[in-house]
């Protein structure tokens, strides 16, 4: 179940005067746990909640911090349109916070040297205030971090005196508008030896921002008593996302290296993904059987034949790409169905994200066992565009056809969501968030792995 937590009725009042004119409208901002699966045990909002209000020129006209026990703030403003953003869980002790004088929507909320991330959440939306009117805006906060809650490496050689696991490259900062900035952060987790065993573990949970690229590198590093380091790395094709808990368990073997089995555990709404890592001295590989549904059933049977490019999988998904890897055949599927008319606030990432996620959920047919549907990346759309004629001919030869034209939602870095144009050869530059509209087309994709 998705928990929604409304806070108590305590509030702050703020009146703005001076260069902004005479206030003639009232804006009340409330915060609550969002509908992204914050779960019963984690439904409490992180504090403080820093609320930024920007006018139409992008000027920050209000900055207020809600402390624990406070649920809302009332602000007297001049009539007009405002963007309101909330960043929760970032205090001035651990973070460098943008001030009202310096803040923009893209200002980073950055960790101070030596500090560690907390349970960061964010939300944002736009409001229109009328002369003499009152407007109450409720912001549903979404978690912006993932949580590595347990790591264990077993059968470590007795000559090793230290073991650590790192994940990289991660985003460095969360921005005021909920997007991310910086791409070079590394989370390192030091393990401790369990007395009387060859097992090393860490159960001290660590919050970290999500990977800054489409894949993350996981490294297991060991140093022996002579100070000689040895490490095993793997570039993981599975996408780590915010609001996921991660458990990693590994076993070291002399012949192979480190054999890691990791479970990414989502809250109730997201199911689970099981990922197996094999590390040795020369290479590493992984097989991701795909995202499981809520019943834990794997959507891609390991003994199933991989469908060929230019065919339909399960009679309704186009196969646009197929690659042979050490772990199996990686196949990219595209939905036959496409959707337009999504409703969102133009240029507002949180609003666009909510609209896209809701639409994908509506388009998904859980009964066919295919999960993991998401926005295509810009690179995936570019591949489809570059190979469209050849793939379409194969589809026609196999008794089906598809036409793709117009502007499509796509995942871009570092801003999250943009657009890809099938109407122009100049499509290597994605559309900006501000250029997206109700006419932008949604066509989800998913990536599955077949062992045959």
């Amino acid at each position: 179940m998705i928990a929604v937590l409304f806070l108590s009725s305590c509030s702050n009042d703020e009146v703005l005067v001076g260069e902004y004119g005479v206030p003639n409208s009232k804006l009340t901002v409330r915060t609550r746990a969002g509908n992204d699966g914050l779960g019963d045990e984690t439904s409490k909002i992180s504090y403080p909640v820093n609320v930024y209000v920007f006018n139409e020129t992008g000027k920050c006209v209000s900055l207020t911090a809600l402390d624990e026990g406070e649920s809302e703030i009332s602000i007297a403003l001049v009539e007009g349109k405002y963007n309101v953003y909330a960043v929760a869980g970032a205090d001035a002790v651990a973070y460098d916070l943008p001030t009202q004088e310096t803040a923009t929507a893209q200002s980073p909320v950055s960790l101070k040297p030596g500090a560690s991330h907390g349970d960061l959440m964010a939300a944002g939306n736009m409001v229109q205030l009328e002369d003499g009117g009152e407007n109450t805006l409720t912001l549903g906060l979404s978690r912006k971090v993932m949580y590595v809650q347990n790591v264990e490496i077993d059968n470590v050689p007795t000559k090793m005196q230290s073991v650590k696991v790192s994940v990289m490259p991660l985003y460095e900062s969360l921005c005021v508008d909920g997007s991310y900035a910086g791409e070079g952060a590394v989370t390192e987790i030091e393990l401790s030896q369990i007395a009387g065993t060859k097992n090393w573990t860490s159960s001290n949970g660590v919050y970290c921002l999500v990977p800054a690229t489409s894949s993350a590198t996981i490294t297991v590093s060991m140093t022996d008593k002579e100070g000689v380091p040895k490490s095993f790395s793997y570039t993981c094709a599975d996408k780590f996302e915010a609001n996921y808990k991660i458990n990693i368990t590994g076993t070291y073997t002399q012949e192979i290296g480190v054999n890691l089995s990791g479970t990414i555990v989502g809250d109730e709404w997201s199911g689970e993904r099981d990922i197996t890592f094999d590390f040795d001295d020369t290479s590493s590989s992984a097989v991701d059987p795909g995202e499981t549904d809520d019943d834990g059933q794997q959507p891609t049977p390991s003994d199933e034949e991989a469908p060929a490019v230019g065919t339909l999988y399960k009679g309704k998904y186009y196969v646009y790409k197929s690659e042979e890897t050490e772990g199996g055949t990686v196949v990219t599927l595209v939905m036959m169905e496409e959707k337009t008319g999504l409703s969102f606030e133009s240029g507002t990432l949180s609003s666009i994200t909510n609209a896209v996620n809701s639409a994908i959920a509506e388009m998904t047919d859980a009964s066919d066992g295919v999960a993991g549907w998401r926005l295509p990346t810009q690179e995936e759309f570019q591949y489809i565009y570059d190979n469209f004629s050849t793939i379409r001919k194969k589809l026609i030869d196999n008794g089906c056809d598809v036409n793709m034209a117009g502007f499509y939602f796509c995942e871009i870095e570092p801003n999250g969501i943009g657009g890809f144009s099938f109407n122009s050869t100049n499509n290597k530059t994605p559309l900006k968030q501000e250029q997206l509209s109700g006419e932008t087309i949604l066509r989800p994709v998913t990536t599955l792995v077949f062992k045959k």
Side-chain angles (χ1 to χ4, degrees):
M1 295 181 63
I2 298 175
V4 177
L5 177 66
F6 285 92
L7 300 181
S8 61
S9 60
C10 299
S11 64
N12 289 337
D13 294 320
E14 182 174 332
V15 178
L16 301 178
V17 294
E19 62 178 296
Y20 308 112
V22 178
N24 56 13
S25 303
K26 182 179 179 181
L27 172 64
T28 299
V29 180
R30 295 174 177 169
T31 56
R32 63 173 174 81
N35 60 352
D36 65 345
L38 294 185
D40 291 337
E41 78 282 3
T42 53
S43 60
K44 293 183 179 179
I45 292 175
S46 300
Y47 285 96
V49 180
N50 296 289
V51 180
Y52 294 83
V53 181
F54 297 90
N55 64 17
E56 292 183 79
T57 68
K59 174 75 174 181
C60 183
V61 298
S62 174
L63 167 57
T64 303
L66 298 178
D67 295 322
E68 190 159 2
E70 295 179 322
S71 63
E72 65 181 45
I73 177 175
S74 294
I75 311 170
L77 295 167
V78 178
E79 63 177 313
K81 187 181 295 183
Y82 295 88
N83 285 308
V84 183
Y85 300 106
V87 177
D91 59 46
V93 175
Y95 292 88
D96 287 321
L97 300 171
T99 65
Q100 180 176 333
E101 292 71 27
T102 63
T104 68
Q106 286 75 45
S107 292
V109 178
S110 303
L111 274 178
K112 292 182 178 180
S116 300
H117 280 298
D119 193 5
L120 294 179
M121 303 174 185
N125 217 322
M126 181 183 293
V127 293
Q128 177 74 48
L129 300 182
E130 304 295 338
D131 185 4
E134 295 188 7
N135 192 308
T136 299
L137 174 64
T138 300
L139 296 177
L141 292 162
S142 299
R143 182 168 283 114
K144 304 298 292 186
V145 290
M146 56 186 186
Y147 185 64
V148 182
Q149 64 179 358
N150 185 71
V151 178
E152 182 172 336
I153 304 297
D154 299 334
N155 200 34
V156 174
T158 54
K159 67 178 181 179
M160 297 300 174
Q161 66 174 2
S162 69
V163 179
K164 67 180 179 180
V165 173
S166 61
V167 183
M168 68 182 84
L170 307 176
Y171 284 114
E172 298 172 6
S173 304
L174 176 68
C175 296
V176 169
D177 65 357
S179 61
Y180 298 101
E183 301 182 357
V186 179
T187 290
E188 292 187 346
I189 303 169
E190 296 284 349
L191 307 187
S192 300
Q193 187 173 12
I194 300 175
T197 74
K198 298 171 68 177
N199 302 337
W200 293 66
T201 185
S202 172
S203 56
N204 297 324
V206 176
Y207 291 103
C208 55
L209 297 181
V210 296
T213 61
S214 58
S215 57
T217 297
I218 299 176
T219 300
V220 179
S221 302
M222 297 180 284
T223 303
D224 63 21
K225 294 178 180 179
E226 286 73 39
V228 178
K230 191 174 187 179
S231 64
F232 306 87
S233 297
Y234 169 69
T235 301
C236 184
D238 189 78
K239 184 177 180 181
F240 295 159
E241 298 177 290
N243 202 39
Y244 274 79
K245 297 176 181 178
I246 302 174
N247 300 302
I248 301 174
T249 303
T251 302
Y252 181 88
T253 61
Q254 295 291 343
E255 295 81 8
I256 299 176
V258 178
N259 178 23
L260 282 180
S261 61
T263 302
I264 303 177
V265 183
D267 291 306
E268 290 141 356
W269 60 275
S270 35
E272 297 182 2
R273 293 191 186 106
D274 293 328
I275 305 170
T276 299
F277 301 87
D278 291 326
F279 289 80
D280 58 31
D281 290 330
T282 58
S283 64
S284 59
S285 63
V287 175
D288 176 5
E291 183 178 359
T292 61
D293 58 26
D294 291 337
D295 295 326
Q297 299 298 314
Q298 293 183 351
T300 309
S302 61
D303 59 350
E304 188 175 354
E305 291 283 349
V309 172
T311 64
L312 291 183
Y313 179 63
K314 293 189 178 292
K316 55 183 178 181
Y317 304 126
Y318 297 113
V319 181
Y320 271 102
K321 191 175 184 181
S322 178
E323 294 180 298
E324 296 296 329
T325 69
E326 293 181 6
T329 303
V330 181
V331 174
T332 301
L333 305 179
V334 182
M335 278 193 183
M336 294 174 65
E337 177 187 0
E338 60 184 23
K339 190 179 184 67
T340 58
L342 274 64
S343 177
F344 52 85
E345 294 288 346
S346 178
T348 303
L349 178 61
S350 58
S351 179
I352 298 170
T353 300
N354 289 338
V356 167
N357 290 342
S358 297
I360 290 178
E362 293 173 0
M363 299 169 73
T364 301
D365 182 5
S367 64
D368 61 20
V370 180
W373 292 102
R374 55 177 173 79
L375 282 182
T377 64
Q378 183 187 354
E379 292 74 17
E380 286 173 322
F381 257 137
Q382 190 67 53
Y383 178 88
I384 294 173
Y385 180 88
D386 293 341
N387 297 275
F388 185 74
S389 297
T390 301
I391 297 170
R392 187 182 184 193
K393 184 179 184 304
K394 290 182 179 180
L395 288 166
I396 293 174
D397 291 342
N398 285 294
C400 52
D401 192 11
V402 63
N403 187 31
M404 296 183 72
F407 300 97
Y408 289 79
F409 289 100
C410 76
E411 178 186 327
I412 59 174
E413 300 294 349
N415 296 322
I417 297 178
F420 185 94
S421 173
F422 266 80
N423 295 339
S424 170
T425 56
N426 185 26
N427 47 32
K428 295 187 181 298
T429 301
L431 299 178
K432 298 180 180 179
Q433 293 175 20
E434 293 78 8
Q435 296 174 280
L436 303 177
S437 69
E439 296 181 358
T440 307
I441 305 167
L442 174 64
R443 191 187 282 266
V445 303
T446 189
T447 303
L448 306 180
V449 178
F450 297 82
K451 289 191 177 181
K452 287 188 178 181

